[in-house]
Amino acid sequence: METLDVRGLPHSERPQLILKKLEELGELEILVEVKPVPVITMLESKGYTCEAEQSQGVWRVKIRKKQG
Amino acid sequence: MRRMLKLLPIRFLSAALIYLVAGITLGTLDALGYGSFKSVHSHLLAGAFFTLVIMGSMYQLLPTIIGAELKHRSLAEFQFILANLGFISLAYSFLSNYSFLKVAGLIAFISFILFAFEIFATALSVKDFYRRSLAIWFFLAAVVYLVVGSAYALAGVLGITSFSAARHAHILTLGFVAMTNFGGLYELFPMLSLKKLHSRRLGEVHFFIANIAAIGMFLGFPERGNLFILSSLLFLAGFYLFAYNLTRTYFSKSHGPEVEMDISARFMAYALAFGVAGVTAGFTSATLGFPGSFTHVHLILTGWVGLTIVGAMYHIVPMLTWLEKYSTKVGQEGVPLIQDLYNKPLAKALFITLNTTLALFAFSSLLPALSIFAVPLAIAFLVFAVEMLLVLGR
């Protein structure tokens, strides 16, 4: 699974970048400073599953297409 | 627009913008001598506008920060209706010689209790919520002050206790509004300026200083004796600590490549300068009688709080609009960027106008000729409100 580190990117540019990568790859891991709850809600409504976990101040969110 | 209003935080923010328009219109008429609307002006702005913005922002930010969903969403939906009913009734009461004030106060109070319950229930649903962010500490304290401040006012209106308008105003503005603003800035300012907060530990120290000082000030009203002066001095010291922490954050090295400062972060940085000027003016007004409460109130509420809100809304409103309307279309058709949803030259013009006119208008009690700046200041806020409503429709 490819990892996309969006930390340091302006917040207004992140959702579009994440969605474009997901369109290309189908699954993605993102690194982000805070849990991106609005983005996760949006992705789940688009048929993705998101697993978020925090370690050492960084949130890792694994995004996959929902099975079935 | 209707689609956007399904989002709870957007519903609060949109309603707040309507109170902003009404409050500013009445305040400008008052400042220009076309009637006496001080009570309704201050309650529409410092009451309805600030409170609904804070509620909408907390409903958006708190789940994001702690990584959870709102605990009782339908209760929050009902609370939105009740809060508006309360604020409209309060405005009506102030315009009609305080008739209906008891019922209006009771409705507003119940809505605040429900809000407090929702925020605490959501926060407590996550085991280590207090570790997630310093903002949570301030938000929870702010909610307690909202309940205490409104209970105090209601008890006064019902004749249960004596009532001091200054104490009521300070519990709600210094307790509820300022604590929320501290929390919001500790969270949003580093995030939007793409920096790391200089020191969380200093922020924690500030939390205790600010709360001890705030309680001391509330107890010091209305006598304004030694307790009040000492507490004011402590609050001032805490605010300087807060400003130092955020200034160090602002000038620290960025996480990634240097990019142009986000408009939201720029508004917040300037708001901070108004905050420092406002608390200093508050202390010198209380001890030396200069420059007076008008300057203190407008620097703090319009400058520090108002400009922080403008900055926060330039982030939240386009972001939520984009997520709701355009996120499903990425890869299928051309979609605008989030920053394309608002007019950038207008945002810069508003930034300059709001900062300059406010800096002048705040001193109009010392130099009455400066009251003319109420007009461009009011127009700039009105244009901002219309622009935010237009973003929802884009």
Side-chain angles (χ1 to χ4, degrees):
Chain A
M1 183 183 281
E2 192 169 303
T3 300
L4 177 67
D5 188 351
V6 296
R7 292 171 301 165
L9 280 179
H11 285 258
S12 57
E13 292 176 14
R14 296 179 185 187
Q16 194 164 25
L17 183 64
I18 293 166
L19 281 167
K20 270 192 176 162
K21 277 277 180 194
L22 271 173
E23 288 286 331
E24 283 170 35
L25 305 168
E27 60 176 22
L28 187 66
E29 180 184 51
I30 58 167
L31 303 186
V32 62
E33 304 92 335
V34 294
K35 186 176 178 181
V37 173
V39 173
I40 290 174
T41 308
M42 177 267 292
L43 289 170
E44 287 178 344
S45 73
K46 281 168 67 78
Y48 290 96
T49 57
C50 302
E51 288 170 37
E53 60 177 36
Q54 188 189 31
S55 70
Q56 295 174 327
V58 179
W59 280 90
R60 290 174 173 273
V61 186
K62 289 188 171 121
I63 310 161
R64 294 184 178 90
K65 261 285 184 220
K66 212 174 272 179
Q67 296 296 316
Chain B
M1 181 80 170
R2 191 175 291 176
R3 180 174 170 183
M4 290 306 298
L5 290 175
K6 284 183 186 161
L7 302 176
L8 188 66
I10 289 293
R11 222 176 297 165
F12 275 92
L13 297 179
S14 305
L17 290 170
I18 294 166
Y19 292 113
L20 173 69
V21 170
I24 282 179
T25 306
L26 291 173
T28 309
L29 290 173
D30 188 285
L32 297 175
Y34 294 104
S36 179
F37 301 111
K38 281 195 175 58
S39 287
V40 69
H41 162 67
S42 61
H43 279 83
L44 281 172
L45 292 179
F49 172 59
F50 285 170
T51 305
L52 291 188
V53 166
I54 288 172
M55 287 173 170
S57 303
M58 276 202 206
Y59 280 146
Q60 174 65 27
L61 284 175
L62 183 74
T64 306
I65 295 169
I66 62 172
E69 297 290 326
L70 271 185
K71 196 73 181 150
H72 307 285
R73 199 185 157 79
S74 51
L75 188 71
E77 309 243 355
F78 175 63
Q79 188 260 321
F80 170 77
I81 297 168
L82 215 54
N84 280 283
L85 204 59
F87 284 123
I88 292 167
S89 316
L90 277 174
Y92 172 76
S93 302
F94 288 119
L95 287 171
S96 58
N97 282 328
Y98 304 99
S99 63
F100 206 57
L101 195 57
K102 290 176 186 173
V103 178
L106 188 63
I107 296 169
F109 179 66
I110 293 169
S111 86
F112 299 157
I113 293 276
L114 295 181
F115 172 68
F117 175 76
E118 179 70 52
I119 292 298
F120 270 89
T122 303
L124 295 172
S125 69
V126 174
K127 200 176 167 191
D128 58 348
F129 68 91
Y130 55 91
R131 287 203 187 130
R132 299 288 168 102
S133 166
L134 191 55
I136 308 295
W137 298 26
F138 283 96
F139 286 172
L140 295 183
V143 168
V144 172
Y145 290 123
L146 173 68
V147 172
V148 172
S150 51
Y152 173 73
L154 186 62
V157 167
L158 295 174
I160 299 168
T161 58
S162 60
F163 179 72
S164 153
R167 180 180 280 159
H168 161 62
H170 276 79
I171 297 174
L172 290 176
T173 53
L174 200 132
F176 174 54
V177 178
M179 294 300 164
T180 307
N181 225 30
F182 287 137
L185 282 167
Y186 275 127
E187 182 68 26
L188 289 176
F189 186 71
M191 184 184 109
L192 293 172
S193 56
L194 303 173
K195 307 281 174 72
K196 194 174 183 316
L197 180 65
H198 169 66
S199 167
R200 175 169 167 144
R201 182 54 58 88
L202 273 188
E204 290 171 0
V205 171
H206 171 224
F207 174 80
F208 290 107
I209 290 179
N211 280 283
I212 292 166
I215 293 166
M217 284 171 79
F218 306 151
L219 297 174
F221 280 113
E223 295 81 12
R224 301 192 190 214
N226 289 339
L227 175 64
F228 177 77
I229 297 297
L230 276 175
S231 303
S232 302
L233 192 60
L234 192 61
F235 190 83
L236 188 67
F239 202 101
Y240 287 166
L241 197 63
F242 161 72
Y244 168 77
N245 206 352
L246 289 199
T247 305
R248 287 291 301 265
T249 303
Y250 185 78
F251 288 109
S252 65
K253 207 173 170 324
S254 183
H255 286 311
E258 287 295 330
V259 289
E260 190 191 356
M261 182 64 78
D262 183 279
I263 187 75
S264 299
R266 225 179 304 165
F267 267 110
M268 290 173 184
Y270 278 68
L272 187 63
F274 277 106
V276 170
V279 287
T280 309
F283 184 71
T284 57
S285 297
T287 51
L288 308 169
F290 178 84
S293 61
F294 181 89
T295 303
H296 161 56
V297 166
H298 282 82
L299 286 174
I300 283 283
L301 295 185
T302 318
W304 182 49
V305 181
L307 294 186
T308 301
I309 287 174
V310 171
M313 286 183 83
Y314 260 114
H315 169 67
I316 293 172
V317 175
M319 175 74 84
L320 290 181
T321 304
W322 192 92
L323 287 175
E324 181 66 19
K325 287 188 176 175
Y326 296 104
S327 62
T328 52
K329 296 175 183 167
V330 172
Q332 293 162 20
E333 58 182 87
V335 295
L337 296 171
I338 292 175
Q339 60 264 41
D340 293 339
L341 292 181
Y342 64 84
N343 183 322
K344 280 188 211 155
L346 178 66
K348 284 184 180 168
L350 286 177
F351 175 76
I352 295 165
T353 311
L354 286 169
N355 279 291
T356 49
T357 55
L358 176 59
L360 294 163
F361 174 67
F363 293 92
S364 60
S365 60
L366 300 175
L367 191 60
L370 294 176
S371 62
I372 192 67
F373 287 102
V375 177
L377 179 65
I379 291 171
F381 270 115
L382 293 178
V383 170
F384 163 74
V386 172
E387 168 71 348
M388 286 297 109
L389 291 171
L390 288 175
V391 168
L392 296 174
R394 280 177 189 143

